[in-house]
């Protein structure tokens, strides 16, 4: 596993895929929007995610769902900073999901450990400088366009190759801006300028993302591409939180493909799934000894 500079020690040494719990302090995120907008409830939920086994709690104050409008920086800070402060005070490892350097900087001052930028540094030119000077881990997600235009940008000839190429260009630009490459974590950005088939292709091509030479974070949780496999028997669509079992299946597959961290809403089952993948990965493989073909040595 590649080293991640600035990661708390106990996570740096983990011998399994990490689990990041999602805490959206927003009125309009697609699956948990409005549930944790109240500060106390948000903190309580963050602590619950940690108690359920989340290694990291990802706090966001701006919805990135397709079509979502932007909020201003002061509102974003107002939503997340008290929550970050309290969670950090309680010993939780916190990442902050923001595209703004101003918000990221304030969150780091409040004690956040990791910055998760769904735009990979494309939205705010101030972000690379902040990441360089703070030396924290930085999630670089594949991103093409803001929420109100992201679906129109979902055009690819070969989605896996193009996502890898565009992520490589981002890594290069960030390193050229003086960031230590060991701070960087890559994410293919499922659901961001990707249609259903693109998301499945990226799931199928996870192995190829290792070519980037950096740990991979994956956010499949409850996303629309899982709706097709979780439809009710009569074909009717199910709500996002009814996609949790399918999400857990993606966690197991991702962990088996060597993904470093999964970002999920429902932590407990994903924690089991990454443990299953770790046990499988370290199991003895006695059958690697040659087995004679059936019939050989069998006499009547
Ligand atoms: N997805 C969402 C938000 N933030 N961050 C990363 N790194 N990767 C993702 O896939 C990702 C993200 C959207 O999901 P949400 O509205 O449930 O938070």
């Amino acid at each position: 596993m590649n080293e991640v500079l600035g990661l708390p020690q106990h996570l740096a040494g983990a011998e399994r895929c990490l689990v990041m719990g999602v805490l959206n302090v927003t009125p309009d995120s697609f699956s948990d929007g409005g549930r944790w907008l109240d500060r106390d409830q948000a903190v309580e939920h963050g602590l619950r995610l940690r108690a359920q086994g989340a290694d990291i709690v990802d706090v966001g104050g701006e919805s990135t769902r397709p079509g979502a409008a932007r909020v201003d920086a002061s509102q974003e800070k107002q939503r997340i900073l008290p929550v970050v402060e309290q969670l950090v005070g309680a010993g939780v490892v916190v990442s902050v999901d923001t595209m703004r350097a101003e918000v990221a900087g304030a969150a780091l001052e409040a004690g956040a450990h990791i910055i998760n930028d769904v735009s990979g540094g494309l939205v705010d030119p101030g972000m690379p400088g902040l990441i360089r000077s703070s030396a924290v881990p930085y999630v670089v997600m594949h991103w093409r366009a803001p929420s109100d235009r992201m679906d129109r940008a979902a055009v690819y000839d070969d989605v896996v190759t193009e996502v890898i190429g565009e992520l490589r260009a981002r890594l290069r630009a960030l390193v050229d801006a003086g960031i230590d490459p060991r701070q960087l974590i890559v994410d293919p950005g499922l659901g961001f300028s990707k249609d259903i088939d693109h998301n499945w292709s990226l799931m199928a091509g996870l192995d190829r993302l290792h070519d980037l030479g950096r740990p991979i974070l994956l956010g499949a949780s409850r996303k629309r591409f899982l709706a097709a496999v979780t439809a009710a028997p009569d074909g009717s669509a199910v709500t996002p939180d009814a996609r949790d079992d399918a999400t857990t299946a993606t966690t197991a597959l991702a962990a088996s493909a060597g993904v470093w961290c999964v970002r999920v809403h429902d932590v407990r089952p994903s924690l089991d799934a990454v443990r299953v993948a770790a046990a499988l990965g370290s199991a003895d493989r006695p059958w690697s000894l040659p087995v004679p073909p059936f019939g050989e040595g069998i006499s009547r």
Side-chain angles (χ1 to χ4, degrees):
M1 190 64 76
N2 295 307
E3 179 194 0
V4 179
L5 205 66
L7 197 68
Q9 199 53 43
H10 70 284
L11 296 184
E15 299 210 335
R16 58 164 173 77
C17 175
L18 301 178
V19 177
M20 174 186 271
V22 179
L23 177 56
N24 286 318
V25 192
T26 59
D28 55 345
S29 290
F30 80 97
S31 106
D32 58 350
R35 272 192 225 178
W36 323 117
L37 199 51
D38 173 82
R39 185 173 301 174
D40 293 339
Q41 282 183 8
V43 172
E44 204 179 299
H45 188 58
L47 295 174
R48 193 178 313 128
L49 291 170
R50 199 261 306 261
Q52 288 167 351
D55 300 296
I56 302 163
V57 172
D58 189 41
V59 182
E62 179 177 47
S63 171
T64 50
R65 70 181 294 164
R70 298 217 61 187
V71 296
D72 61 41
S74 63
Q75 192 173 20
E76 200 184 338
K77 286 196 286 190
Q78 234 172 38
R79 286 179 182 170
I80 65 160
L81 292 180
V83 178
V84 170
E85 240 165 56
Q86 287 197 51
L87 291 178
V88 169
V92 177
V93 176
V94 171
S95 69
V96 168
D97 188 344
T98 185
M99 297 184 274
R100 286 195 175 95
E102 179 185 338
V103 177
L108 292 173
E109 269 173 36
H113 304 83
I114 299 166
I115 298 301
N116 172 24
D117 180 354
V118 299
S119 83
L122 282 171
V123 161
D124 188 338
M127 192 65 102
L130 174 77
I131 299 302
R132 182 188 58 229
S133 59
S134 58
V136 292
Y138 180 56
V139 180
V140 182
M141 201 192 79
H142 177 262
W143 184 93
R144 279 189 167 179
S147 296
D148 57 349
R149 281 180 276 136
M150 69 160 90
D151 285 344
R152 271 182 277 155
V155 182
Y156 304 86
D157 289 324
D158 169 349
V159 65
V160 177
T161 304
E162 286 168 60
V163 164
I164 291 172
E166 288 166 36
L167 277 173
R168 182 172 281 127
R170 289 310 306 143
L171 295 182
R172 171 55 45 216
L174 293 165
V175 170
D176 285 349
I179 295 173
D180 188 319
R182 293 171 302 164
Q183 287 172 255
L184 304 175
I185 295 150
V186 293
D187 181 334
L190 298 180
F192 288 79
S193 299
K194 320 285 183 320
D195 68 18
I196 289 175
D197 291 341
H198 296 143
N199 289 313
W200 285 115
S201 293
L202 286 163
M203 284 295 304
L206 282 176
D207 278 348
R208 289 187 51 206
L209 282 158
H210 291 297
D211 291 352
L212 290 166
R214 295 306 306 147
I216 302 162
L217 188 143
L218 191 76
S221 189
R222 297 182 179 174
K223 284 189 178 163
R224 221 175 352 157
F225 75 106
L226 298 175
V229 293
T230 51
D234 66 0
S236 59
V238 295
T239 55
D241 48 1
R243 299 172 195 159
D244 281 334
D245 292 345
T247 299
T248 305
T250 64
T251 292
L253 295 167
S256 274
V259 162
W260 171 77
C261 180
V262 288
R263 180 182 179 279
V264 294
H265 300 83
D266 190 12
V267 163
R268 270 281 319 150
S270 274
L271 186 63
D272 283 353
V274 298
R275 287 179 176 150
V276 166
L280 195 67
S282 61
D284 288 338
R285 287 175 156 67
W287 62 90
S288 60
L289 298 171
V291 176
F294 177 69
E296 203 169 284
I298 298 176
S299 52
R300 286 172 179 254

